[in-house]
Amino acid sequence: MQLEMPTAEPEAASDTQSDQSSDGQLSVRNASKFFPSLTGGGEICVFRDVSLDIANGEFVSIIGHSGCGKSTLLNIIAGFDEPTSGDILVDGKQVQGPGLDRMVVFQSFALMPWMSAFDNVRVAVRSAFPSWDAKQIAQHTTRYLHLMGLSDIGKKMPAHLSGGMRQRVGLARAFAVQPKALLLDEPFAQIDALTRGSIQDELIRMWDKAGATVCMVTHDVDEAILLSDRIALMTNGPEARVAEIVEINIPRPRTREQLIESEEYMRLRTRILRFLIDHNRRPTAMDDTAHAMDAYPHRDETSHD
Ligand SMILES: Nc1ncnc2c1ncn2[C@@H]1O[C@H](COP(=O)(O)OP(=O)(O)O)[C@@H](O)[C@H]1O
Ligand SMILES: [Mg+2]
């Protein structure tokens, strides 16, 4: 089925989002983050001097072991937190807190539990397009629920939806706002393997049509290769850094069947897994609960569906 990606009516959106579809370059410049030590006085450097440029419309993933600071970095790009030093730029402008130009999708779905799926999306659409009337907002909401395969569940409350459905609502909400950038923090980690595959396919289809810049945190190598243009490999914390950026030159559209037959895929997979094994974390004072290598090669397949 060929899906039409709706675009915001220019006259309705012009007061808030005139250039949303045209830009979306993210730049992290020499960013470092220190937190107060949890185990005593002083501070701990989570990551140091991280620089990453993500071009408009590019899909970049960040891979690294648990505790290396991936979520912290994403939260800083989102504007929920600030770097201790360094700069975060969107289209060359310094980020000043959260904004609808950067929508975040969390592993934990982060839907408002007292609102239906429809209302979760509608509230975001209303904030993004304040000059629209109720009918325009409802139509736009319906369209995005439909695009994520959710036409029939709009009235349901999040508690009555499977993990996969909840994450579809999260993605519908994020795309409906037509952000410049989508920031995804392990969005499929709590979704069973089969459902995960179909939502990944929908994410890529939506991304392709919307042209949004994506920065996705994951610890799943296969997912990162399937979805990304480039993958930034982070070393372990403390003092984590982006050690390498791997280009994924496998032509799109990519299918899992093609990938497993592809020598390039096996080469990239081996390279990234080798990096992760070489950087297998040793317990540190920063985080003695994370055992990231438990994730390799067997992921936690806990189903919430
Ligand atoms: N608000 C905070 N105060 C102190 N330490 C924190 C805070 N948030 C995160 N950390 C620490 O920073 C490190 C990186 O955390 P996080 O970004 O969640 O890692 P990741 O997402 O890569 O697993 C962890 O050791 C964590 O304990
Ligand atoms: Mg995290």
Side-chain angles (χ1 to χ4, degrees), residues 52 60-64 70 73-74 215-218 231-232 234:
L52 182 64
V60 171
S61 293
I62 301 173
I63 281 197
K70 303 179 299 295
L73 179 60
L74 209 71
C215 182
M216 180 180 79
V217 163
T218 180
I231 303 175
M234 273 179 91

Side-chain angles (χ1 to χ4, degrees), residues 210-232:
T213 306
V214 176
C215 182
M216 180 180 79
V217 163
T218 180
H219 60 243
D220 183 328
V221 176
D222 296 310
E223 172 175 290
I225 299 175
L226 176 71
L227 301 178
S228 312
D229 295 316
R230 289 186 299 147
I231 303 175

